[in-house]
Amino acid sequence: MARERLRVTLSGATGETGAEIANAILDLSDTFHLTALARPASANKPEYENFKKRGASVIVADLGTVNDHLVSTLKGCDIVVCAVTLEGLDPGPMNNLATAAQHAGVKRFIPSLFGPVCPPRGVVPIRDLKEDMIDHIRNLSLPYTLIDVGWWYQMSLPAVPSGKLDHLLFFPITTITGSGNVECAMTDKRDIGRYVARIIADPQTLNRSVFLYNEIWTQNKLFDLVERLSGETIPRQHETQEDLKLKIDSAKKRSNDGDETALASFAMMAYNYSLWIRGDNTPAKARDLGYLVANDMYPDIKGTSLEDYVKSLLDGNIGRIYAGRR
């Protein structure tokens, strides 16, 4: 007798992370049935039609409140995965989804973390907000799994002087932070879905935090790699810890004073401080914080190497992330 499929409901299924998760779940149709939640404003996106053709259900749902329709949609669901972004740093939609999942009797909730490892509070402001969401989930006594994924290859590469990569890099790196020798666990965004599909079906990960990554790199070695593969010499500007801290303090003050334009730079600089100065985003630090490490648990999953990713980028075989933005 065939095992009953796990019923997974995913919000944020057309975003950068959500789409990787959706595709991985749809590739495992013997294990999962996917329901994608679509916001009313985006229900006609072609991605949802593609999901339907591959066997998914698509339901329009409003996460603005904990409403009867949302609770009814989640009834009978085994796993809810939230991959929506913190738009305007508003945790309301994610908290509403968690509350509705608790009302519906969902067996496991995966909040929208999917970032680098860092201390729970006081280092990266976006992480502070996400920790508040985790507190909300625990206060609901809602079973959960917390998943962090390191720092994307796609957010880590320098441009080359010829301009060959300019149209492919959403966020080209122009400055090496600190010494450039601090290690950081990095991940190809395209590999996240395969890990998530394994993690959410594993009883060992219930009510646990899980960290996944592909490889460990420093910024100096990363620049060396791009230079070797491109044949170009990349200018290296360095930013000291002290200079970065001053910029963070300035952006934080402007943000607190109501300057909305300072918020994004404040968040990114805080991430840089955590990643490249403090060295928070490593498997060792993850284990210290109580994470399971997916690479230990699922050694059969082979992620893309950074070298192969850069080669494909230089060959023009990979597109830019956030293709619909700037």
Side-chain angles (χ1 to χ4, degrees), residues 7 20 38 56 70 85 96 107 125-126 161 186 210 245 251 259 262 304 310:
R7 294 155 293 185
E20 303 297 348
L70 181 58
T85 59
N96 291 339
K107 298 175 184 176
I126 291 178
M186 303 180 69
V210 186
K245 191 67 169 62
D259 182 356
T304 306
V310 174

Side-chain angles (χ1 to χ4, degrees), residues 18 26 35 60 63 70 83 99 103 105 119 133 138-139 159 166 182 196 207 241 246 271 277 301 303 311 319:
L26 288 169
T35 297
V60 177
L63 304 187
L70 181 58
T99 302
H103 291 343
M133 290 163 33
R138 288 174 170 154
N139 286 337
D166 287 0
V182 174
V196 170
N207 296 327
Q241 174 178 339
L246 287 172
Y271 270 127
I277 298 294
I301 299 180
K311 285 178 179 176

Side-chain angles (χ1 to χ4, degrees), residues 108 144-145 199 202-208 210 292 297-298:
R108 187 189 306 224
Y144 64 86
T145 299
I199 291 166
D202 187 345
Q204 299 177 86
T205 63
L206 188 64
N207 296 327
R208 299 295 302 270
V210 186
L292 302 172
M297 303 171 70
Y298 319 115

Side-chain angles (χ1 to χ4, degrees), residues 24-44:
I25 288 173
L26 288 169
D27 285 343
L28 297 170
S29 58
D30 290 341
T31 302
F32 302 105
H33 176 268
L34 177 67
T35 297
L37 299 183
R39 293 182 302 170
S42 60
N44 293 323

